Every structure is written in C-alpha cells, then in structure tokens.
Amino acid sequence: MSKAIGTVVVTGASRGIGAATAGLLAARGWRVAVNYGASEAAAQAVVAAITAAGGQARAYRADMASEAEIKAMFLAAETELGPLAGLVNNAGVTGGMSRLEALDAEALRRVFTINVDGAFLCAREAVRRLSTRRGGAGGAIVNVSSRAAELGGPGEWIHYAATKGAIDTLTIGLAREVGGEGIRVNAVSPGLIETEIHAAAGDPDRPARMASGVPLGRSGSALEVAEAIAWLLSPAASYVNGAILPVGGGR
Ligand code: NAP
C-alpha cells in the first residue's frame, strides 16, 4: 500500500457509489472513515474488504439527519484514524418517486434534511478542521450531486432534484469561500448509475429501461463515479475548484 495521504470521511459508504469510493480511496492511500446510517453489516463488509487489501478503514454510524451524530463521527474519525484531509459528501436518498402534486410534506422534509442539511453540516465539520484560517493544513471536499439538478426530475422526483440543486450551490459558494484557505471544493454529478438507489425508490429496472436515452448507450457503474471523485480529491486536480463534473455518459 502507498504511504497514507490522510483521513477522508466518505458519507453513505455502506454500498453503491460511496462503497466504491471508499475502496478506491483506500487503495490510493487514504485512511477511510466509512460512514453509514442504518446498514452496519454492509459498512463493516466494506471495511473488511479494504483491510484485507492492505488499506486502513473504520466504520462510523452517523445519521445524516443528526447534527450530534455527525459531530461525533468527525471527532471519532480524526481521533482513531488521524487528521482529516478530505470529505466525500455522498450519502443521499431520493425521497421516493412522486409527482409534485402527490408529495408528502414529511417525505419532502426528510429528503432535504438528509441530502442538504447533512451535506452542509459535514462540510462545516470538515472546514473547521481543514481551513488554514483555523490552523488546519488544507484539504479537499467532493460533493455528490446529480444530473437531476439540471434535468429537474419531472414525473419522478423534483424534490430530489432540488436537493441536488442545493448541493451545486453549496459547491460553488463554498469553493469561493474557502479556496483561499487551502480547501478545494468540487462536485461530481452522476447520471444513471447502477446502484440500489433505484430499487429503494421502487423502480429497480430504471437504469436498464432508461439506458438507451444515454448518449453512451448504457448506464454507468459506481466505480466509474468513484474514479471521478478520487481524481477531484487528489493533488492531480490541484487547480480545480468549484467545478461540477458531469459523470453521466453525456446525459
Ligand atoms: P445507495 O446505493 O442507495 O446508497 C446510499 C448510501 O447512503 C448508503 O450507504 C446509505 O447507507 C447512505 N444513507 C442513506 N441515508 C442515510 C442517512 N440518513 N445517514 C447516513 N447515510 C445514509 O445510493 P447511490 O446510488 O450509491 O447514491 C449515492 C449518492 O449518489 C447519493 O447522494 C445519490 O443521490 C447520488 N446519485 C446517485 C445516482 C444513481 O443513479 N445511482 C445518480 C445521481 C446521483 P445506510 O443504508 O447505512 O443508511
């Protein structure tokens, strides 16, 4: 394994894009805090795979809807894994499929709480530790947005798309706010990616059904998104700040 780069918190790393990102970052020398909300066994399996491959990782439960749990996770991760150098704000839910006219207020609140409040609070915890203005050594943040932010999610999930619009704004604003403090902030904007998020939303066949509408003619894999995240987090992207990188096969 290469020399450790630093600690990175990857939220929602128990499966899908987050799990692929955690594995890739560990292979590239990061010490990885594998965050999960409910899926402890899956998170521990991600940690076990990283450890078996010679990497360093630990699992941390923190519900993105809980400020106290988010704060405790950052504290525990830096104590047990070492100083923070990066954050991947990946945890997210769709809030289910619904036209706006049928939207349930509680579901709306929950998708914004997890996707937006959670990402803001994790970014806050990271900036408090990374900012050279506060004695930190700098670092990088990558937010996981969605092509839905631009496409709007009509007929499926405008509520979800709107949370990702907020993530894009967070990315642009924070990149400009802390760029002079040693922190780069960027986002990836995945398109149609094969993960369990579609089944969780009640439409497991969504990637296969919609693949023909993607200019590359197929859905993408979690690893293809992880590669973009790992690049944005790395020194290879040292002059990239405030970028929102589409990873959607042209969609
Ligand atoms: P996924 O397979 O459903 O995984 C979601 C992850 O988020 C899981 O690890 C889950 O862990 C975690 N999570 C959910 N609620 C949480 C909470 N309250 N607190 C902490 N963790 C929580 O989804 P995915 O497709 O990999 O999605 C990852 C990110 O990519 C999301 O932000 C999603 O919006 C975005 N994205 C996905 C696609 C796509 O087509 N798949 C496209 C564009 C953007 P637990 O089960 O342990 O809670």
Side-chain angles (χ1 to χ4, degrees), residues 12-18 35-40 62-65 90-93 110 114-115 144-147 160 164 190-198 206:
S14 57
R15 61 174 178 272
I17 294 168
N35 161 256
Y36 66 97
S39 308
E40 183 178 4
D63 185 342
M64 289 299 117
N90 166 79
V93 294
R110 178 123 183 104
I114 293 170
N115 294 9
V144 179
S145 178
S146 169
R147 294 293 301 137
Y160 168 70
K164 297 303 187 177
L192 204 58
I193 310 300
E194 293 148 30
T195 72
E196 292 172 32
I197 203 168
H198 310 283
R206 189 170 176 272

Side-chain angles (χ1 to χ4, degrees), residues 235-248:
S238 54
Y239 201 57
V240 183
N241 188 36
I244 299 164
L245 177 63
V247 186

Side-chain angles (χ1 to χ4, degrees), residues 5 25 28 30 140 142 184 227-240:
I5 299 168
L25 293 178
R28 303 240 169 119
W30 291 83
V142 178
R184 295 182 301 103
E227 287 282 2
I229 294 171
W231 176 71
L232 284 170
L233 209 61
S234 79
S238 54
Y239 201 57
V240 183

Side-chain angles (χ1 to χ4, degrees), residues 120 164-175 244:
F120 265 78
K164 297 303 187 177
I167 292 300
D168 287 356
T169 303
L170 165 66
T171 303
I172 295 163
L174 191 59
I244 299 164

